[in-house]
Amino acid sequence: NTLPQTFGVEGLEAYSMQKIRAYTTAVTSKMCLKSRDTCNVCGVEFYPLPYHHFVGNTFTASCDYVKELIPPQKFEKAM
């Protein structure tokens, strides 16, 4: 990773804050929230491998989606 060398600690923190702000703005946007008619989860960058996840672990989800998630204490066994 070359970010710390390129930006230094202060620059890295600013870079991280910009990313967090961008992810938060995106997942709380009207477009993301309106998509609930066709999707149960919305985020910025979705990757199916090595496991289903959104970059930054920042996403919005419907209550029905969250209700169906495997409880953390049962997750490892279920996988």
Side-chain angles (χ1 to χ4, degrees):
N1 189 349
T2 61
L3 285 176
Q5 296 166 350
T6 305
F7 295 118
V9 174
E10 296 82 14
L12 183 59
E13 288 176 10
Y15 175 80
S16 295
M17 289 304 296
Q18 288 173 344
K19 291 282 237 182
I20 292 167
R21 188 173 293 119
Y23 295 154
T24 303
T25 300
V27 302
T28 58
S29 69
K30 288 181 184 178
M31 186 172 127
C32 206
L33 298 176
K34 280 184 178 180
S35 69
R36 294 279 171 80
D37 297 336
T38 56
C39 300
N40 57 10
V41 66
C42 185
V44 177
E45 293 178 53
F46 175 76
Y47 292 96
L49 298 173
Y51 49 86
H52 294 171
H53 67 284
F54 287 97
V55 172
N57 198 29
T58 307
F59 60 94
T60 56
S62 68
C63 292
D64 290 336
Y65 174 81
V66 174
K67 225 173 20 181
E68 297 297 319
L69 293 174
I70 300 167
Q73 62 271 31
K74 296 180 181 179
F75 186 79
E76 188 173 343
K77 188 176 181 179
M79 292 293 112

